[in-house]
Amino acid sequence: MREIDHLIGGASVGGERRGDVFDPNTGRVQARVALADAATVAAAIDAGAKAQPGWAAVNPQRRARVLFEFKRLVENEIDSLAEMLSAEHGKVVADSRGDVQRGLEVIEFACGIPHLLKGDYTHGAGPGIDVYSLRQPLGVVAGITPFNFPAMIPMWMFGVAIACGNTFILKPSERDPSLPVRLGELMLEAGAPAGVLNVVHGDKVAVDALLDSPVVRAISFVGSSDIAHYVYSRGTAAGKRVQAMGGAKNHGIVLPDADMGQTVADLVGAAFGSAGERCMALPVVVPVGARTADTLREALLPEIAKLRLGTSTDRDAHYGPVVSAAHKARIEGYIQLGVDEGAELVVDGRGFTLQGHEGGFFVGPTLFDHVQPTMRSYRDEIFGPVLQMVRADSLAEAIALPSKHQYGNGVAIFTRSGPAAREFAASVDVGMVGINVPIPVPVAYHSFGGWKRSAFADIGIHGEEGVRFYTKVKTVTQRWPGMDAGAAVTDSSFVIPTMK
Ligand code: NAD
């Protein structure tokens, strides 16, 4: 059986405790991943701490060159990386390529970070006095990432942190751990000194060891909301800087004047792509007005019927299996809950099997109509290929739905009306908004971050906010003797200095 080990201080490190890594296409165990104990995490933190002063002393441009080379190496093998990712995640290879590519876009941004590390300078803030600020790295920082983007989300974090002069401990999802290890190896090949990027696999034991370590100065987390809240509370209680992104339930609002053909195409891709296992998927559609709802429903049905499920290596498949047997059972449980709560099950994806892959974790596309905001199946995140239609009578009612929802990650509106879109974007209580854009994940030089229970953080991931998160500002006020023309030596002063 293949074994997947940690990458600590530039070396592969095994361990006794192991977890199963499944092939979602067949349901069979394909590898065993090491699960770190506290001592292994401590070894990784130690490797990071040893490497950090040297890495911070490398000038910013040379640090960026390592990332340039890393980008080249990743691009060289993007096809095999995408296949490696799909084999453990279950998403189709073309989608995995996008996962790697979106991560690389943050690496491209990180190559320009020297520009954002420049401080401010005031010459002559007082007589012979100058003031300047330095943006310095925090030290050793860590990232804990979810299964659904095993390439993009680690790169959101380590690309920026490392460009800023920090060293990094990555604790990826134990469900698809191979790709993050390969990224760590490619960073070494690109010239990152050993210990700059360490990859430690594990579960709660590893996460707690990172949260409690006084050496780890900041934690970035992406995953489900309850764990995000736990990480935020425990990490901040330990005095760390923490950004913890959580779950989502994104709404797509459809106004009567929307381009219906394009809207349906966008909704089907955003609801069912990657089997709905995206934090920026659109699992809720809100048509405004009964006629819009009926038209939309009629237009969705044939498109859903055309969807092709297949293995992650099937080039013609629209989406593949979900990540685990437990997740499949959870999604099917929510479909039953929707039925029990009285929503109309229009298309039922339960019980789907793929010939020759009967043990695979497949869930067919599912459509509900007449879903009510009071239903638990609406309030909770399902994270599967399930689209729920909630009908609204007015734009105000439609805006209130995502605004009042516990999650506030992303939202989209489909319309030809500029004023309606403008009002929507300004007033909706959600962090990332799309206007005729179904999955509005911001580009790398902007920042990613939801609101409410989708993010326990005051500062977003990547972009300038990411640089702020991984650095601290030091402000220096200097006076040089002899520059204060004509000034005589003064006595001690016991009042706060002020600008005369
Ligand atoms: P998860 O919360 O189960 O796991 C995320 C990370 O936390 C993993 O590294 C895991 O090992 C660790 N973890 C799991 N249980 C833990 C515990 N009890 N204590 C400490 N650490 C623990 O999430 P997942 O299933 O891997 O990913 C799917 C979730 O992530 C969804 O809720 C999705 O919406 C969310 N997500 C959010 C964003 C975002 O940016 N807001 C992006 C992607 C995914």
Side-chain angles (χ1 to χ4, degrees):
M1 177 79 52
R2 186 164 61 92
E3 304 223 312
I4 302 162
D5 292 332
H6 314 292
L7 186 64
I8 298 175
S12 189
V13 174
E16 285 292 298
R17 208 160 65 92
R18 298 245 161 205
D20 291 336
V21 178
F22 288 87
D23 173 356
N25 297 301
T26 61
R28 286 195 284 271
V29 177
Q30 59 168 316
R32 304 267 295 152
V33 62
L35 300 176
D37 54 18
T40 306
V41 174
I45 295 171
D46 197 39
K50 285 204 175 86
Q52 202 273 328
W55 183 242
V58 172
N59 72 53
Q61 206 158 351
R62 289 187 59 186
R63 293 199 299 256
R65 281 185 196 143
V66 171
L67 292 169
F68 266 116
E69 178 61 5
F70 171 72
K71 174 176 137 63
R72 196 186 66 79
L73 294 174
V74 171
E75 278 168 345
N76 268 355
E77 58 182 76
I78 193 162
D79 291 327
S80 64
L81 290 174
E83 278 162 25
M84 177 189 278
L85 195 165
S86 284
E88 291 177 1
H89 179 292
K91 63 173 119 178
V92 295
V93 174
D95 199 26
S96 293
R97 232 173 170 280
D99 187 335
V100 178
Q101 186 56 43
R102 284 303 297 248
L104 278 184
E105 289 172 15
V106 175
I107 300 299
E108 286 169 352
F109 161 74
C111 289
I113 277 180
H115 173 65
L116 295 172
L117 294 177
K118 291 183 302 193
D120 295 324
Y121 186 86
T122 302
H123 181 85
I129 295 175
D130 309 319
V131 180
Y132 64 93
S133 62
L134 305 170
R135 199 165 268 288
Q136 297 187 318
L138 302 180
V140 182
V141 298
I144 300 155
T145 54
F147 82 85
N148 69 325
F149 281 103
M152 176 182 80
I153 294 179
M155 286 192 262
W156 278 1
M157 299 174 180
F158 76 71
V160 177
I162 287 173
C164 292
N166 301 283
T167 53
F168 202 88
I169 319 291
L170 173 63
K171 205 305 284 172
S173 170
E174 64 277 35
R175 285 184 269 178
D176 44 14
S178 291
L179 197 278
V181 175
R182 186 67 194 136
L183 295 179
E185 290 167 354
L186 291 175
M187 277 292 284
L188 285 167
E189 226 176 282
V196 167
L197 175 59
N198 306 278
V199 183
V200 178
H201 307 289
D203 48 19
K204 185 173 178 354
V205 174
V207 171
D208 286 350
L210 288 169
L211 291 173
D212 295 345
S213 163
V215 179
V216 175
R217 298 311 312 146
I219 301 266
S220 298
F221 173 91
V222 177
S224 52
S225 288
D226 287 347
I227 314 281
H229 185 250
Y230 167 76
V231 165
Y232 186 80
S233 309
R234 189 157 170 165
T236 51
K240 295 184 203 321
R241 208 174 265 193
V242 182
Q243 50 180 191
M245 306 298 158
K249 190 93 181 204
N250 308 318
H251 295 52
I253 315 292
V254 183
L255 298 193
D257 67 352
D259 174 338
M260 205 49 82
Q262 186 61 53
T263 301
V264 168
D266 288 347
L267 283 173
V268 169
F272 302 112
S274 197
E277 294 172 318
R278 291 186 185 134
C279 65
M280 290 295 276
L282 279 186
V284 179
V285 59
V286 184
V288 175
R291 192 182 299 168
T292 313
D294 293 342
T295 309
L296 185 67
R297 176 173 162 159
E298 285 314 302
L300 278 168
L301 286 173
E303 295 308 314
I304 291 174
K306 275 189 232 158
L307 285 175
R308 184 186 153 108
L309 264 79
T311 60
S312 55
T313 50
D314 179 347
R315 303 249 158 207
D316 295 324
H318 294 109
Y319 74 87
V322 301
V323 71
S324 66
H327 193 47
K328 174 182 154 100
R330 185 175 173 278
I331 295 166
E332 294 192 338
Y334 269 110
I335 297 173
Q336 186 57 45
L337 178 65
V339 173
D340 296 344
E341 289 178 314
E344 183 194 354
L345 183 57
V346 185
V347 181
D348 187 355
R350 289 174 295 179
F352 179 92
T353 50
L354 189 68
Q355 212 182 356
H357 291 82
E358 286 74 12
F361 309 138
F362 294 93
V363 183
T366 298
L367 177 68
F368 276 105
D369 195 358
H370 300 288
V371 173
Q372 300 300 322
T374 48
M375 294 176 177
R376 189 161 67 80
S377 56
Y378 164 79
R379 295 198 312 267
D380 290 1
E381 176 182 47
I382 300 176
F383 218 55
V386 180
L387 179 59
Q388 296 170 293
M389 192 185 292
V390 185
R391 295 170 175 238
D393 289 330
S394 64
L395 176 60
E397 197 186 316
I399 295 177
L401 284 164
S403 294
K404 288 186 181 156
H405 202 280
Q406 60 165 331
Y407 296 114
N409 215 38
V411 71
I413 189 166
F414 299 91
T415 179
R416 288 188 170 96
S417 162
R422 186 170 180 272
E423 180 193 335
F424 175 79
S427 61
V428 72
D429 192 10
V430 171
M432 291 173 282
V433 179
I435 298 173
N436 298 313
V437 171
I439 305 181
V441 177
V443 292
Y445 43 94
H446 285 258
S447 295
F448 184 103
W451 289 2
K452 298 181 283 182
R453 272 179 60 77
S454 293
F456 303 92
D458 302 313
I459 196 159
I461 293 191
H462 65 69
E464 289 188 35
E465 296 220 340
V467 174
R468 273 193 251 189
F469 183 77
Y470 290 123
T471 55
K472 57 193 173 189
V473 171
K474 180 181 283 176
T475 308
V476 180
T477 304
Q478 67 180 7
R479 180 171 67 178
W480 296 105
M483 297 287 297
D484 191 356
V489 173
T490 54
D491 294 334
S492 301
S493 170
F494 297 93
V495 294
I496 179 108
T498 57
M499 198 53 65
K500 303 280 185 311

